[in-house]
Amino acid sequence: MGITKRRLLAMICFLLGGSIVAAGAPYKYSRVGNEADVSRTTKPGFALMGGGTDLDEAFEWMCDRANGGDFLVIRATGSDDYNAYIQKLCKLNSVATLVIPDKEAAQDPRVAAIIQRAEALFISGGDQSNYIKYWQGTPVQTELNSLIKKGVPLGGTSAGLAVIGQFIFSAMNDSAFSKETLANPYNERVTIASNFLAVPHLEKVITDTHFATRDRQGRLVGFMARVLQDGMSREVRGMGVDEKSALLVEPDGAAKAVGTGKGVYFYHPSAKPETCRPGKRLTFEGIFVEKISTGQSFSLSEWKGQGTSYTLNLKNGVLTTTAPGGSVY
């Protein structure tokens, strides 16, 4: 290599402490393991994590499907802490974190090229409004959907899970809360986006995270009511994943719950809400619910499983349930 080429490469990128970043790039890229990519045959699947403490079992499941390839974590803010965690947990060619902090970074062709080469893709927690504002309508969205079609395993936790369903609580005005949402499903904090990712069996689904731990059932029901009332879809289903819980989904929609949290909750309204208007308390009755706990299975294609089933009713913002003991969780 001549001196001119060396200088050119030094200007283009630098290597420091495992981080490889193009000079002047609007993104950050940090990698551990082998510097050269490999090509592996992957097995599709989706790891839907509810947030809180990361679950080794869920990441190992993704790693197995990556088949020793290159594991990529994407986020809009934050550090590369996942690199060391996943590298220690799994046998992979490499683990990398790509921070895509704005629209400019999401338009960078080098970002698209990095995503294209992943054998596993994980969307970290954070603020899902950033993912929608910065990534939707860019090559990042295009390449993520290409990976899904290709059969690359995809996972997400907290905000990363929030953007995986067809419908998305976009959090454009900060977080929403159950009490306020049931009192007024059109309060300014309830913002719904759609069609960021095309994940099989999550069509017409809106997800929520940290579910029982942060008492988010009321707001998820409010989100579903808005989807129906605003004509986004004639049908909607909800999925709430608790902290320290995950749902591992096979390509055919067969899924199982893992983790130490309270599990996963599935919602299917039987009709549109009776009252869903600005400034009015929500009335939304006849919502079928099934909860599964660790080790139990659920079919997303049939929307039924091995869990406890009951009906949820909301009348003037007050929730009642037929669940054993009247427990909402």
Side-chain angles (χ1 to χ4, degrees):
M1 182 184 293
I3 186 68
T4 302
K5 193 170 183 181
R6 281 200 188 97
R7 286 176 177 171
L8 178 61
L9 287 175
M11 291 173 62
I12 294 174
C13 61
F14 65 86
L15 176 62
L16 180 62
S19 296
I20 306 170
V21 184
Y27 62 89
K28 295 180 181 178
Y29 180 62
S30 177
R31 177 172 175 144
V32 293
N34 292 328
E35 294 180 23
D37 287 325
V38 295
S39 180
R40 295 284 188 266
T41 300
T42 59
K43 182 178 179 181
F46 307 96
L48 312 181
M49 308 181 203
T53 304
D54 290 311
L55 298 175
D56 292 358
E57 183 176 356
F59 280 95
E60 289 169 343
W61 186 85
M62 287 189 67
C63 291
D64 287 344
R65 288 160 189 262
N67 192 25
D70 300 293
F71 194 115
L72 180 65
V73 177
I74 62 170
R75 57 197 314 163
T77 59
S79 69
D80 61 0
D81 290 349
Y82 273 113
N83 287 6
Y85 165 66
I86 297 171
Q87 186 189 43
K88 183 178 180 180
L89 195 65
C90 303
K91 187 176 181 179
L92 296 159
N93 183 62
S94 72
V95 184
T97 296
L98 177 63
V99 181
I100 313 167
D102 52 33
K103 205 84 169 182
E104 179 189 3
Q107 298 284 359
D108 194 307
R110 293 167 293 186
V111 165
I114 291 168
I115 295 172
Q116 285 173 357
R117 297 193 294 269
E119 273 80 37
L121 192 289
F122 179 74
I123 308 173
S124 80
D127 182 347
Q128 64 257 38
S129 69
N130 290 332
Y131 302 161
I132 300 303
K133 287 185 296 186
Y134 302 150
W135 301 352
Q136 192 164 28
T138 74
V140 170
Q141 179 185 19
T142 300
E143 295 307 329
L144 292 178
N145 281 304
S146 293
L147 289 183
I148 293 169
K149 290 181 180 178
K150 184 181 174 182
V152 169
L154 173 76
T157 189
S158 193
L161 171 57
V163 298
I164 286 181
Q166 180 182 352
F167 299 108
I168 301 157
F169 168 56
S170 56
M172 291 298 179
N173 297 319
D174 208 345
S175 189
F177 302 94
S178 290
K179 184 178 179 180
E180 289 84 351
T181 302
L182 296 180
N184 176 14
Y186 283 85
N187 78 76
E188 65 177 6
R189 290 177 179 265
V190 179
T191 56
I192 310 294
S194 63
N195 299 311
F196 176 57
L197 298 180
V199 176
H201 308 292
L202 292 185
E203 302 88 352
K204 301 179 181 178
V205 172
I206 185 165
T207 65
D208 210 347
T209 61
H210 303 275
F211 196 63
T213 303
R214 298 188 185 178
D215 186 24
R216 287 182 165 175
Q217 179 172 245
R219 78 174 200 174
L220 179 59
V221 170
F223 299 160
M224 291 190 295
R226 283 288 303 275
V227 169
L228 295 172
Q229 185 67 32
D230 294 351
M232 300 180 203
S233 177
R234 293 182 179 180
E235 183 180 13
V236 67
R237 300 182 183 193
M239 180 192 303
V241 186
D242 194 28
E243 287 187 3
K244 303 179 185 179
S245 292
L247 189 73
L248 306 181
V249 184
E250 299 290 344
D252 63 359
K256 69 173 182 178
V258 299
T260 60
K262 291 189 176 179
V264 186
Y265 302 74
F266 302 89
Y267 296 76
H268 189 190
S270 59
K272 289 181 64 176
E274 290 84 346
T275 303
C276 183
R277 297 194 301 273
K280 299 294 183 180
R281 293 183 176 277
L282 180 63
T283 295
F284 194 10
E285 299 186 278
I287 303 170
F288 170 82
V289 185
E290 183 169 346
K291 173 193 174 182
I292 65 170
S293 301
T294 294
Q296 292 184 316
S297 299
F298 191 88
S299 169
L300 294 180
S301 60
E302 298 179 357
W303 210 255
K304 64 180 181 180
Q306 300 175 327
T308 302
S309 299
Y310 50 96
T311 301
L312 193 68
N313 294 295
L314 279 160
K315 193 169 181 64
N316 295 324
V318 178
L319 183 152
T320 59
T321 175
T322 63
S327 173
V328 296
Y329 293 107

